Amino acid sequence: MNAYRYVLRRLAGLPFLLLGVVTVAFLLSQLSPAEPLASILSERQLSNPEAVAAAKARWGLDRSPVEQYLYYVKNVFEGDLGISFRTKQPVIEDLAARLPATMELVLAALFLGVGSGIVLGVVAARFRDTVVDQLVRLIALFGSSLPVFWSGLAALSIFSVQLGLLPGPGRMNPRAAALDPITGFNTIDAILRGNMASFSDAVTHLILPAAVLGWATTGVISRLVRASMLDVLGQDYILMAKAKGSSGLRILFHHALRNALLPAITVIGYSFAYLLTGAVLTETIFSWPGVGSYAVESARALDYPAIMGVTMLGGAVFVLTNLATDLAYVLVDPRIKLQ
Amino acid sequence: MTIPKNVSGLVASARVAILAAGVAAGLGATASAQGDEQPLIIARNLAVNSLDPARTSCDTCNIYMAAVYDTVVRLGQDNKTVEPGLAERWEVNGDSTVFTFHLNAKAVFADGSPVEAKDVKWSWERLTNLQGGMSWLFEQVKSIETPDSHTVVVTLSQPDSEFLGKVIAPYSGVVNSKVASQHGAKTSKEEAATDTAEPWFLANSAGSGPYVLAAYAPDSELRLKRNDHYWNKQADIGEVVIRQVKDSVAQAQSLMSGAVDIATEVSPDTAKTISAPDVTVQTVPSYQFLYLALSPGAKGNPPLSVPVRQAIGYAIDYKKLIDFTIGGAGQLVPVAIPNGFPGADGLPAPEYNVKKAKELLASAGLKDGFTMEAVFPNENYYGVDMSTLMQFVQQELAKVSIQLQLKPVTFPVWLQTVKGEGTPLTASFYGPDYFGTDQYVRTFAMMPGTRWYTRSGAERVQGMANPKEKELLDKALASPVDQRDKLYHEIAQLMIKDRVIIPLVGPNTVLAYNNKVEGMRYSVVALLPLQELRFKK
């Protein structure tokens, strides 16, 4: 099947999936015992029928649940996710302002996590059952099991407070002149503006949260790559390569790794979606103004439009990531065909 | 934690490497981007509900409002004295029902236009009519007259000797009515529902204070810059950035690493871990407190008669609670009026007496105890984790066979619960908006219309109303100061007997800041008066 048609077919299903996500999210919000007006009005206003009626009319809460649902769905497909109860800004603008921060963090975390995971996995397989292998497994174990709220604070304490190597929480130094955004990715914007001081600032602020967030991915990928590598290294074609006199490094990285990576691709794709929707704690600890911290604050304030917006964004991310993963399979293994 | 000496060489090398990378990339970001004047960086959990003066109501809002919107009169550094603000002088009639303010002709808004009487009237009427969280400040106002452009005459519907205190509250700040009206602000009661100015106020300000709003990014930062047209003494620091750092430990770490200059919500426990030589940590008593509230009229008719409420009060070891929740950094609070406020002096400290608690329960026919629900906001107030606090209370009450079913919820759900069917026992907090006791009586006393009279379901329970409290309050508000304080003292004693509100702890405030910052103090109204801060020369 033509890859272009395959992508189009998969993308055509996206609106239906989002409709499902919207429906479930809307039903859950309706089932919640909490009154949305409690997060919009003051206690005094809640006791005033006129203020309550005006707020209901303003926020569309005077309609029946079915009408609210249909109205919301119509608006969503017109690109309007409503106004946040909390920030009083359009949800779509709130998400657009925060998504680049989260994407920058997640891509950096994925880069560090996947890169180190692959290297460690290969090294562990090469030195199977040695001290090196045990050490890699220990790193993987800690990465997978340490909660971010602990590892984040510990990393801040060690690398920022005690050693003074890296800056504390936040995306940029607040004492520095603000960077005029273009893409919202501070590292890219700094390069586009030719402001290398800001680039350095953005990168140094990114290292700690990305490393903390990516550590879990390091653990998963390294274990997976190790297992795949051990499997591949035992196959006949590797024996053939050795017999032909290929060097150890060439066998590892040229012959074995490409085949061993296939199972890891699924995890990489999943990790991206997981990190994007699960960077909540990291963003909170590191005061990173992304979608994760927005989701937390919105949930605490019962900001239903924002919660629905974040839920839909999460749904879209998973669909698009799955699609990207399927396409990556074909690139890595030409034997796989799109259907 | 200290770094072993053999690691220090490695650390130094790493520092050099990172610095070199920065230099290779251009120049060190921090050094290059700083202008001649450094901004002051404050770490804080922003938790801003609005920046619209008529809608705003939060601790960060207090700081913001005090810095951006000057009030007609202001509070002195002793947290008690009333000093001139936009008004250079004022008069009060004999029974405290008519207040006349004479505005300073020099006072101008940030755009250079003069502050006039019409702006004061417009701002206070809008605050009242929009019915935001602080609209109660002017609920006793009958009329506001402006006989000329610099005179404001406020007539109250009943005497209020604490009215000046309410004018001091940052939420009474004066707004440039012309500018705000151009951006959708309305002031009349009829038009309140059509007021659309809030989004504009989230990006702009229209005050006459020492600072103006430069930028606000929710959950990220609030940036203020000095009002260069300020009519009074100019602020020393040109730019103030209040940066979102939610966690107490992360705030302390940011302060120790030099990333911020002030951390405003370091918990007393965390404060003990701060060891950086360039950081000062001061723990000062605050006027804030946390309390238990008992609701005899809540759903299910919990058996919360007076003896049972008294028993609950005796069953709690308050000193241990302060040690357990905030490492001892707090004060005992006898009544729901802060220590040091009018009427609160000389009251007996809360007593811990399990034997007496058991006797009281037995006298109420509840020797074997009972079980009740406790819905509470799962938040952290003034460094006290509410879950920890409630677990402690649960353990204490179990000693007298009262079993609490704890139900932590988000704040909006809690508010809906206490406003609706109620919960037998809950916990909350209160921080003053001005120096005055009236606000506490109107919130906690058992007289119709007060917040906790309604929330406790008192109207559904016979004998809960305490008309004497209302009578004494009316007298107090019409009396000169010395008599007023005695009357407040009587009300305080009645409120203790009501036993609907059981104060638990007055947490100390931790002032944690870099040694280069001067002028740090705790203010009742502004919390942190930004215009008084300066960098050491």
Side-chain angles (χ1 to χ4, degrees):
Chain A
M1 187 187 214
N2 181 307
Y4 181 68
R5 282 179 61 197
Y6 175 79
V7 171
L8 277 183
R9 186 166 64 81
R10 289 286 297 271
L11 287 179
L14 184 59
F16 296 101
L17 184 119
L18 288 182
L19 183 64
V21 171
V22 171
T23 307
V24 172
F26 185 84
L27 283 173
L28 287 175
S29 72
Q30 291 293 315
L31 290 173
S32 165
E35 165 65 63
L37 285 179
S39 57
I40 302 169
L41 299 178
S42 71
E43 195 172 356
R44 188 163 290 256
Q45 287 170 321
L46 282 170
S47 306
N48 179 343
E50 287 172 17
V52 168
K56 280 187 171 176
R58 182 185 171 197
W59 297 97
L61 298 169
D62 54 347
R63 302 187 184 100
S64 70
V66 174
E67 282 178 307
Q68 284 181 44
Y69 172 73
L70 293 174
Y71 188 72
Y72 185 77
V73 169
K74 173 185 157 288
N75 284 347
V76 165
F77 283 97
E78 287 173 0
D80 177 5
L81 299 182
I83 306 287
S84 160
F85 292 166
R86 194 171 60 87
T87 67
K88 314 294 189 298
Q89 304 292 331
V91 172
I92 194 93
E93 287 180 19
D94 279 349
L95 290 175
R98 287 162 172 80
L99 191 57
T102 299
M103 288 286 283
E104 189 169 45
L105 173 63
V106 166
L107 288 172
L110 203 65
F111 175 75
L112 290 177
V114 171
S116 60
I118 290 173
V119 171
L120 289 175
V122 171
V123 169
R126 169 66 183 80
F127 299 101
R128 182 184 184 181
D129 295 335
T130 65
V131 177
V132 175
D133 186 19
Q134 300 296 335
L135 191 67
V136 169
R137 286 158 81 172
L138 199 66
I139 292 170
L141 178 71
F142 279 128
S144 307
S145 51
L146 278 181
V148 168
F149 63 80
W150 187 89
S151 54
L153 287 174
L156 275 172
S157 176
I158 296 167
F159 295 103
S160 179
V161 179
Q162 301 294 337
L163 303 180
L165 287 173
L166 292 164
R171 280 186 89 192
M172 297 287 279
N173 179 0
R175 298 182 207 281
L179 190 62
D180 209 6
I182 300 171
T183 64
F185 287 67
N186 282 346
T187 46
I188 296 173
D189 289 350
I191 293 172
L192 293 175
R193 299 263 179 219
N195 186 341
M196 298 317 282
S198 291
F199 176 74
S200 166
D201 188 22
V203 169
T204 50
H205 274 86
L206 194 54
I207 293 171
L208 266 191
V212 167
L213 184 62
W215 196 2
T217 307
T218 303
V220 176
I221 298 282
S222 65
R223 282 190 293 197
L224 202 68
V225 169
R226 178 186 178 275
S228 298
M229 285 292 284
L230 287 175
D231 184 40
V232 170
L233 286 172
Q235 292 190 15
D236 289 347
Y237 77 93
I238 297 293
L239 198 63
M240 172 69 83
K242 282 181 183 169
K244 286 170 72 179
S246 291
S247 71
L249 283 178
R250 185 172 168 78
I251 289 170
L252 274 181
F253 289 100
H254 183 74
H255 294 295
L257 184 59
R258 187 163 176 177
N259 284 320
L261 272 184
L262 208 56
I265 287 175
T266 312
V267 177
I268 293 169
Y270 170 76
S271 295
F272 176 74
Y274 169 77
L275 292 175
L276 203 62
T277 54
V280 172
L281 283 172
T282 311
E283 289 189 0
T284 303
I285 296 291
F286 286 92
S287 304
W288 200 265
V291 176
S293 54
Y294 180 69
V296 171
E297 295 306 322
S298 301
R300 288 163 62 91
L302 294 181
D303 184 350
Y304 287 129
I307 295 168
M308 303 269 280
V310 172
T311 309
M312 269 189 293
L313 178 69
V317 164
F318 270 92
V319 170
L320 295 174
T321 306
N322 282 340
L323 175 60
T325 306
D326 290 350
L327 293 174
Y329 277 139
V330 180
L331 288 176
V332 175
D333 189 346
R335 291 170 300 178
I336 296 174
K337 300 289 177 201
L338 297 170
Q339 288 188 350
Chain B
M1 187 171 132
T2 52
I3 306 165
K5 281 183 182 171
N6 57 352
V7 181
S8 59
L10 186 63
V11 172
S13 307
R15 276 184 180 147
V16 169
I18 287 179
L19 183 64
V23 171
L27 287 168
T30 306
S32 69
Q34 280 176 9
D36 294 327
E37 203 173 24
Q38 273 192 70
L40 176 86
I41 314 294
I42 300 171
R44 183 174 176 80
N45 178 20
L46 286 172
V48 168
N49 76 321
S50 178
L51 293 180
D52 182 337
R55 293 179 166 101
T56 183
S57 169
C58 66
D59 281 355
T60 304
C61 312
N62 273 50
I63 299 173
Y64 172 75
M65 287 295 295
V68 174
Y69 293 90
D70 264 359
T71 48
V72 170
V73 286
R74 58 173 64 129
L75 193 65
Q77 293 213 351
D78 62 356
N79 275 327
K80 288 181 183 176
T81 315
V82 182
E83 293 181 350
L86 290 170
E88 56 188 354
R89 60 193 168 86
W90 58 94
E91 293 115 32
V92 185
N93 72 343
D95 66 350
S96 299
T97 53
V98 180
F99 293 75
T100 305
F101 300 98
H102 302 278
L103 301 183
N104 191 325
K106 290 183 199 160
V108 291
F109 288 108
D111 67 354
S113 60
V115 177
E116 295 183 335
K118 66 176 171 55
D119 297 303
V120 178
K121 177 180 163 71
W122 186 93
S123 304
W124 291 353
E125 287 181 348
R126 182 168 182 264
L127 178 66
T128 307
N129 292 332
L130 257 59
Q131 296 191 318
M134 300 308 296
S135 60
W136 59 271
L137 286 170
F138 292 93
E139 65 183 0
Q140 312 289 342
V141 172
K142 193 162 80 179
S143 69
I144 303 173
E145 307 297 329
T146 54
D148 63 57
S149 64
H150 281 79
T151 306
V152 182
V153 181
V154 181
T155 306
L156 306 182
S157 55
Q158 63 182 76
D160 185 356
S161 56
E162 288 194 348
F163 183 69
L164 286 179
K166 291 164 190 168
V167 175
I168 285 170
Y171 302 100
S172 306
V174 176
V175 180
N176 186 330
S177 61
K178 187 178 171 193
V179 172
S181 299
Q182 285 167 353
H183 294 94
K186 306 280 169 60
T187 191
S188 73
K189 197 173 181 179
E190 296 72 32
E191 292 179 308
T194 61
D195 185 293
T196 55
E198 190 171 18
W200 184 82
F201 276 115
L202 289 168
N204 305 274
S205 59
S208 60
Y211 285 95
V212 295
L213 176 63
Y216 169 58
D219 312 328
S220 180
E221 68 174 32
L222 179 64
R223 198 172 276 261
L224 308 179
K225 63 180 180 187
R226 184 170 46 216
N227 173 6
D228 290 327
H229 295 112
Y230 190 45
W231 61 278
N232 211 331
K233 185 179 177 294
Q234 286 254 328
D236 219 56
I237 295 173
E239 189 175 20
V240 177
V241 181
I242 305 180
R243 197 173 207 202
Q244 171 84 354
V245 182
K246 193 166 182 176
D247 184 78
S248 166
V249 176
Q251 284 192 15
Q253 289 178 339
S254 299
L255 182 63
M256 286 191 282
S257 69
V260 304
D261 303 308
I262 298 171
T264 58
E265 291 154 319
V266 173
S267 71
D269 276 342
T270 305
K272 289 175 187 166
T273 67
I274 296 179
S275 56
D278 55 349
V279 171
T280 298
V281 178
Q282 280 179 280
T283 304
V284 297
S286 77
Y287 292 122
Q288 299 142 349
F289 63 84
L290 291 101
Y291 60 89
L292 282 187
L294 304 172
S295 299
K299 180 187 68 169
N301 300 314
L304 292 171
S305 59
V306 175
V308 177
R309 301 202 298 267
Q310 287 173 339
I312 290 172
Y314 284 123
I316 296 165
D317 185 341
Y318 299 93
K319 285 181 184 166
K320 202 168 153 190
L321 180 144
I322 294 173
D323 285 340
F324 186 75
T325 53
I326 46 174
Q331 314 294 319
L332 293 170
V333 185
V335 67
I337 300 169
N339 299 331
F341 267 47
D345 291 339
L347 292 166
E351 184 184 345
Y352 170 54
N353 191 331
V354 174
K355 190 179 165 213
K356 205 184 263 187
K358 285 181 176 171
E359 285 169 5
L360 283 161
L361 284 172
S363 74
L366 291 166
K367 191 182 169 192
D368 298 327
F370 61 95
T371 300
M372 66 178 168
E373 187 184 66
V375 178
F376 66 96
N378 190 15
E379 303 281 346
N380 185 308
Y381 297 123
Y382 310 127
V384 180
D385 179 76
M386 295 298 273
S387 285
T388 308
L389 178 97
M390 289 301 281
Q391 283 166 29
F392 182 86
V393 171
Q394 185 184 44
Q395 286 172 14
E396 294 292 278
L397 296 191
K399 290 178 193 166
V400 293
S401 303
I402 296 176
Q403 307 302 328
L404 282 189
Q405 294 173 336
L406 299 184
K407 288 194 176 175
V409 295
T410 60
F411 181 79
V413 173
W414 175 81
L415 185 59
Q416 189 183 333
T417 305
V418 294
K419 270 191 61 64
E421 56 194 15
T423 181
L425 184 146
T426 190
S428 190
F429 70 100
Y430 198 98
D433 295 300
Y434 60 92
F435 184 79
T437 298
D438 172 32
Q439 60 191 310
Y440 294 93
V441 182
R442 291 187 190 281
T443 302
F444 298 113
M446 284 299 103
M447 46 193 223
T450 69
R451 184 180 291 171
W452 277 104
Y453 182 84
T454 309
R455 287 179 177 178
S456 67
E459 68 270 23
R460 298 189 289 274
V461 180
Q462 207 174 10
M464 284 284 288
N466 196 338
K468 185 76 178 165
E469 289 170 345
K470 170 71 176 149
E471 185 190 320
L472 289 170
L473 176 65
D474 288 344
K475 270 191 199 169
L477 291 174
S479 303
V481 171
D482 54 335
Q483 288 174 34
R484 184 190 69 186
D485 292 1
K486 282 180 194 162
L487 291 161
Y488 276 142
H489 192 76
E490 280 185 54
I491 298 174
Q493 288 170 321
L494 292 175
M495 285 166 66
I496 291 174
K497 283 183 187 162
D498 289 340
R499 252 341 187 197
V500 168
I501 303 297
I502 302 174
L504 296 174
V505 52
N508 292 343
T509 287
V510 175
L511 302 175
Y513 53 97
N514 192 293
N515 294 342
K516 68 184 180 188
V517 179
E518 292 182 327
M520 282 288 291
R521 74 174 175 96
Y522 166 71
S523 160
V524 171
V525 294
L527 301 180
L528 181 62
L530 300 182
Q531 68 275 23
E532 294 176 21
L533 301 177
R534 59 197 175 275
F535 287 119
K536 234 175 230 174
K537 302 288 182 201

